[in-house]
């Protein structure tokens, strides 16, 4: 059996005029962040992960306007590790 990445969770959010997509890879244990403002030309931005988090299963995007610290967040629930993580996103570099 191949242990290839297995996309398990997806979330989309808008921040500062850009649209971002987050794809959780269950077996790899992390999240790929893309800028999909132009859906015909998605741009990979970064790999998000926290030590100890395994198998992301569900996401919730929180825009900066709703986040306590004023920066966009991605909330992630992880099946295998039983953890929940809060990832602060860097959307200022655009």
């Amino acid at each position: 059996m191949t242990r290839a990445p297995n996309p398990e969770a997806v979330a989309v959010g808008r921040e500062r005029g850009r649209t971002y997509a987050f794809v959780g890879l269950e077996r790899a244990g992390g999240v790929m962040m893309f800028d999909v403002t132009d859906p015909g030309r998605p741009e990979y931005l970064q790999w998000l992960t926290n030590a100890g988090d395994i198998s992301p299963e569900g996401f919730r995007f929180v825009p900066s306007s709703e986040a306590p610290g004023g920066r966009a967040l991605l909330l992630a629930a992880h099946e295998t590790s039983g953890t929940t993580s809060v990832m602060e996103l860097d959307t200022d570099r655009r």
Side-chain angles (χ1 to χ4, degrees):
M1 177 162 101
T2 303
R3 301 272 311 159
N6 180 18
E8 191 71 31
V10 174
V12 175
R14 288 196 50 80
E15 181 69 22
R16 300 173 200 243
R18 311 296 302 176
T19 303
Y20 298 99
F22 305 90
V23 180
L25 301 180
E26 181 180 35
R27 293 185 184 127
V31 181
M32 296 182 342
M33 180 179 174
F34 296 90
D35 183 331
V36 294
T37 304
D38 178 351
R41 301 184 72 189
E43 180 184 351
Y44 170 78
L45 297 177
Q46 64 180 321
W47 175 253
L48 304 167
T49 188
N50 287 319
D53 290 341
I54 303 168
S55 300
E57 287 285 323
F59 297 143
R60 167 80 160 75
F61 176 80
V62 180
S64 62
S65 61
E66 297 176 21
R71 291 190 64 157
L73 304 172
L74 183 69
L75 311 179
H78 298 82
E79 178 184 39
T80 301
S81 60
T83 57
T84 302
S85 57
V86 178
M87 297 175 232
E88 192 172 73
L89 304 172
D90 181 8
T91 59
D92 294 332
R93 61 182 169 170
R94 290 250 151 225

